Amino acid sequence: MIEFRPWSEADAAWYAEQAKDEQILRWTTDSPDLTAEDVRTAIAALPGDALAWMIVDAETGEPLGNAAVDVKDGIAEPSYWVAAPARGRGVATAALREMCARSVAAGAERVEVIIHRDNAASTRVAENVGFVAVRDFEHPKLGPCVRYRWDG
């Protein structure tokens, strides 16, 4: 169904265009002013072992979304978005499952996601993958959020 592949600088325009989507802007920290050049610069700066990928259709290679994992102090924090044409097809659920597996393989002791309190779609995705809510908090950029934990 899906595969992860490393981002390339050739993907920058696609990412910048998708990131202007109302739902992506609402639930992520991406800027509405993000340009392809900004994305190219970010991709070029990724270390070789970065846990950051383009989500693609396994059969066609069609770009479907963005997936990344930030690991700090043994805690992995996946983040993701799915392009509008790919929503409702199970892409986010499959991607979050894959990010959890890769997080554990990379040595993470725990996997946690942060979801805006009003983001019902991402809440369903996290719960379908086995995450449980652990606490509410105010995120400095996203506002009212819930931290979810996955115990594998």
Side-chain angles (χ1 to χ4, degrees), residues 7-22 24-25 28 30-43 54 63 65-66 81 83:
W7 285 98
S8 75
E9 292 182 40
D11 300 323
W14 182 87
Y15 185 109
E17 183 63 30
Q18 300 309 309
K20 293 180 183 350
D21 176 87
E22 177 183 313
I24 293 170
L25 289 173
T28 72
D30 279 338
S31 167
D33 300 323
L34 187 70
T35 67
E37 187 55 37
D38 296 332
V39 177
R40 262 191 294 286
T41 300
I43 291 169
M54 175 184 265
N66 173 53
W81 53 253

Side-chain angles (χ1 to χ4, degrees), residues 28-95:
T28 72
T29 58
D30 279 338
S31 167
D33 300 323
L34 187 70
T35 67
E37 187 55 37
D38 296 332
V39 177
R40 262 191 294 286
T41 300
I43 291 169
L46 287 171
D49 61 351
L51 301 177
W53 312 275
M54 175 184 265
I55 306 166
V56 299
D57 183 286
E59 291 181 20
T60 67
E62 171 195 5
L64 303 174
N66 173 53
V69 180
D70 185 27
V71 182
K72 291 181 190 164
D73 300 324
I75 300 171
E77 285 189 3
S79 59
Y80 55 91
W81 53 253
V82 175
R87 292 183 193 140
R89 297 178 9 200
V91 172
T93 300

